[in-house]
Amino acid sequence: MGASALLTLFLGDWETPAKILIVTMLFAAGAALAFPIGLFAARLVSQGRRWEVAFAAAFVCLAAATIGLTGGLFALQYRSYYAEWHAPAFTRTWVLQFVFTTLIALYQFVVLGIRLYFPVGFIALFAAGVWFARQRR
């Protein structure tokens, strides 16, 4: 997934090399953290089922885990940037700022970040689904 983000950003002539590296590392870390979780979830869902079900379970579980964890990492980075201007920690105002900043970060990730998974990330996800389904036979 990091390679997918790198290729998309590099070909798009996006920002500076340092910012491209940060985004690439964010996507790579999100995918690395998501893989064992998605694999575990796919094993639970596809237990004792046919090849097609195992493929679909792997595809959906790995995609959801990867997008969820990468979005979460993006939200943490986004939140750390804006924390400087937020109210003192654990006050009512801080909780509202925390919730809305996190929701805005996740929205921005969905709108701007999901496109970085295409086309390389989608191909890798498809290949991982086929690999998983063949292992479950």
Side-chain angles (χ1 to χ4, degrees):
M1 296 306 159
S4 179
L6 177 64
L7 181 67
T8 304
L9 294 173
F10 185 72
L11 292 177
D13 197 32
W14 189 77
E15 294 288 329
T16 64
K19 290 183 181 180
I20 290 174
L21 178 64
I22 291 170
V23 173
T24 300
M25 295 306 292
L26 180 78
F27 273 69
L33 292 171
F35 188 75
I37 295 169
L39 207 57
F40 179 74
R43 283 188 178 137
L44 285 178
V45 173
S46 69
Q47 203 167 26
R49 308 272 169 94
R50 296 183 342 193
W51 187 88
E52 297 86 3
V53 176
F55 172 77
F59 194 88
V60 170
C61 292
L62 287 171
T66 301
I67 291 170
L69 280 166
T70 306
L73 290 176
F74 178 80
L76 286 173
Q77 190 278 332
Y78 189 93
R79 168 75 178 103
S80 70
Y81 176 78
Y82 283 103
E84 181 178 338
W85 297 286
H86 283 193
F90 305 112
T91 62
R92 184 180 306 170
T93 304
W94 178 85
V95 170
L96 286 173
Q97 290 171 335
F98 180 81
V99 167
F100 283 102
T101 302
T102 302
L103 290 174
I104 289 167
L106 292 174
Y107 171 76
Q108 284 187 356
F109 176 76
V110 168
V111 170
L112 300 172
I114 296 291
R115 68 182 175 85
L116 300 178
Y117 288 119
F118 295 101
V120 177
F122 187 77
I123 294 167
L125 181 61
F126 187 84
V130 170
W131 168 80
F132 178 80
R134 295 187 97 196
Q135 296 295 319
R136 300 300 290 173
R137 276 200 225 172

